[in-house]
């Protein structure tokens, strides 16, 4: 039987930390139960592992008592890191012990999965350097600043690379758990768990949940001004040459500084601002797709649809149908 360690952080925890811990324990316990019912062996022995005898959550309203101290686990097969508070700067106190233990276990064969902002702890081990990683879209800018060596894929729901798994934000950790059940158990057990817990199986993206807000805490005042100019004039056709001249920066240098500061090229940034405006119009108005398209500065229907799908993972009509049912589609 394999061993599953669900970590219980003692500091930097947030409300979703508890949800992740309880959700992981519940789903894997149910997967074991399903195997038992079908005369198959359980896959995991499951333990909640921490660094103290008791950890508090939600301003002390709730507590969890880890079953074991991580130091007593000499070998585990899968480590699950729950979400932590999003206001992360560096690993604090007891979580440093968890970081060292995770790194040690990975080196001797364990796989590691982080949920949402649990990626902060995982990235602190160095194991995510030059690897793909997902996180809640609202934490992406801060994460990029702290861990520039990580290949952040905030649009992805799940990443899977070299025995390291990450997932997007909020309660999408449930999708990661179903993904792991299928990997470690089998497809049928995953389907069963998805039905019992009513979780969509095979969901791949969180793009349509993203609310774009340009990263402006980078310290480059010229680029910050350029961002604001783009946001105020997004419906206009702005070339990179126009922008670089307006802010008296050479084209190549402007491109380089813009990417370094925001994580997007100037063109990508303009597209994201346009599509964010289009999304809001599709969510809240009775405007047609074409009306919205023209308002945000597109004249070509095909180009608008392609960019919209690239950023949100769905067509403008699909998006309107999903988020604005009371308004109708036209």
């Amino acid at each position: 039987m394999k061993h599953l360690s669900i970590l219980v952080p003692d500091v930097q925890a947030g409300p979703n930390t508890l949800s992740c811990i309880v959700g992981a324990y519940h789903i894997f316990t149910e997967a074991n139960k399903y195997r038992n019912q079908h005369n198959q062996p359980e896959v995991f022995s499951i333990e909640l592992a921490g660094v103290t005898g008791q950890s508090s959550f939600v301003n002390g309203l709730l507590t969890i008592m880890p079953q074991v101290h991580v130091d007593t686990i000499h070998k585990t097969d899968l480590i699950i890191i729950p979400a932590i508070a999003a206001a992360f700067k560096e690993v604090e106190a007891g979580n440093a012990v968890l970081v060292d233990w995770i790194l040690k276990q990975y080196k001797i064969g364990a796989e590691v999965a982080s949920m949402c902002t649990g990626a902060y702890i995982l990235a602190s081990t160095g194991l995510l350097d030059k690897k793909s990683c997902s996180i809640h879209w609202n934490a992406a800018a801060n994460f990029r600043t702290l861990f520039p060596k990580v290949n952040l894929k905030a649009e992805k729901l799940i990443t899977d690379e070299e025995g390291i798994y990450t997932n997007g934000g909020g309660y999408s950790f449930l999708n990661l758990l179903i993904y792991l059940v299928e990997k470690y158990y089998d497809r049928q057990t995953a389907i069963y768990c998805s039905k019992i817990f009513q979780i969509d199986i095979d969901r791949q993206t969180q793009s349509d949940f993203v609310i774009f807000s340009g990263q402006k805490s980078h310290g480059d005042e010229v680029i910050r001004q350029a961002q604001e100019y783009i946001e105020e004039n997004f419906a206009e056709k702005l070339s990179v040459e126009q922008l670089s001249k307006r802010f008296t920066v050479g084209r190549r240098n402007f491109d380089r500084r813009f990417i370094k500061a925001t994580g997007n090229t100037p063109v990508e940034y303009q597209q994201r601002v346009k599509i964010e405006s289009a999304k809001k119009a599709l969510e809240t108005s009775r405007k047609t797709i074409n009306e919205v398209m023209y308002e945000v500065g597109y004249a070509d229907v095909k180009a608008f649809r392609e960019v919209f799908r690239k950023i949100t993972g769905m067509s403008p009509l699909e998006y309107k149908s999903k988020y604005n049912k009371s308004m109708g589609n036209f």
Side-chain angles (χ1 to χ4, degrees), residues 62-304:
L62 300 167
T63 60
I64 287 183
M65 291 179 285
Q67 295 163 288
V68 294
H69 192 286
V70 290
D71 286 345
T72 67
I73 301 175
H74 302 296
K75 180 73 171 69
T76 192
D77 296 287
L78 177 61
I79 301 166
I80 290 183
I81 307 169
I84 60 172
F88 185 92
K89 295 180 180 178
E90 59 183 20
V91 171
E92 295 178 8
N95 284 345
V97 176
L98 296 181
V99 166
D100 291 341
W101 181 80
I102 292 165
L103 184 57
K104 176 184 174 183
Q105 290 295 323
Y106 182 77
K107 287 180 177 178
I108 61 173
E111 295 195 329
V112 188
S114 71
M115 300 172 166
C116 189
T117 47
Y120 282 121
I121 291 180
L122 181 53
S124 298
T125 67
L127 293 174
L128 280 175
D129 289 357
K130 297 183 179 179
K131 293 186 180 70
S132 297
C133 169
S134 185
I135 197 170
H136 196 293
W137 56 265
N138 204 29
N142 182 45
F143 186 90
R144 281 194 182 96
T145 300
L146 293 173
F147 303 104
K149 294 181 181 179
V150 179
N151 183 18
L152 189 63
K153 302 280 191 181
E155 75 282 1
K156 291 282 189 182
L157 190 74
I158 295 169
T159 67
D160 176 346
E161 191 171 346
E162 296 181 23
I164 295 176
Y165 312 90
T166 68
N167 90 282
Y171 283 80
S172 69
F173 72 83
L174 296 168
N175 300 98
L176 174 62
L177 293 174
I178 296 298
Y179 182 88
L180 292 172
V181 167
E182 180 171 1
K183 181 177 178 65
Y184 279 93
Y185 292 74
D186 51 42
R187 178 72 175 178
Q188 194 56 46
T189 307
I191 291 172
Y192 169 79
C193 288
S194 76
K195 291 181 177 180
I196 285 292
F197 295 102
Q198 299 186 34
I199 304 165
D200 287 340
I201 197 166
D202 296 330
R203 191 175 143 223
Q204 298 296 320
T205 180
Q206 60 176 357
S207 296
D208 59 310
F209 293 110
V210 174
I211 302 172
F212 180 70
S213 177
Q215 147 74 336
K216 294 191 178 75
S217 58
H218 43 68
D220 191 325
E221 180 60 19
V222 171
I223 298 303
R224 187 188 65 76
Q225 291 176 17
Q227 289 174 262
E228 291 181 352
Y229 184 79
I230 290 170
E231 291 165 9
E232 291 168 3
N233 301 276
F234 66 85
E236 297 180 18
K237 191 172 183 179
L238 301 173
S239 70
V240 181
E241 287 81 3
Q242 286 175 311
L243 289 168
S244 61
K245 284 180 181 178
R246 182 178 185 85
F247 294 98
T248 61
V249 181
R251 162 67 193 266
R252 289 186 179 179
N253 191 31
F254 183 81
D255 257 344
R256 180 186 59 79
R257 286 170 62 178
F258 203 99
I259 293 168
K260 181 180 179 181
T262 70
N264 297 115
T265 67
V267 172
E268 289 170 341
Y269 196 89
Q270 290 181 68
Q271 289 175 339
R272 287 186 171 275
V273 172
K274 288 174 183 289
I275 297 306
E276 188 61 30
S277 180
K279 285 164 56 183
K280 290 176 181 175
L282 293 171
E283 291 166 5
T284 60
S285 76
R286 295 182 179 273
K287 293 173 183 175
T288 67
I289 304 300
N290 282 359
E291 286 173 331
V292 171
M293 175 188 76
Y294 290 127
E295 282 188 1
V296 300
Y298 281 93
D300 185 304
V301 175
K302 182 180 179 183
F304 176 63

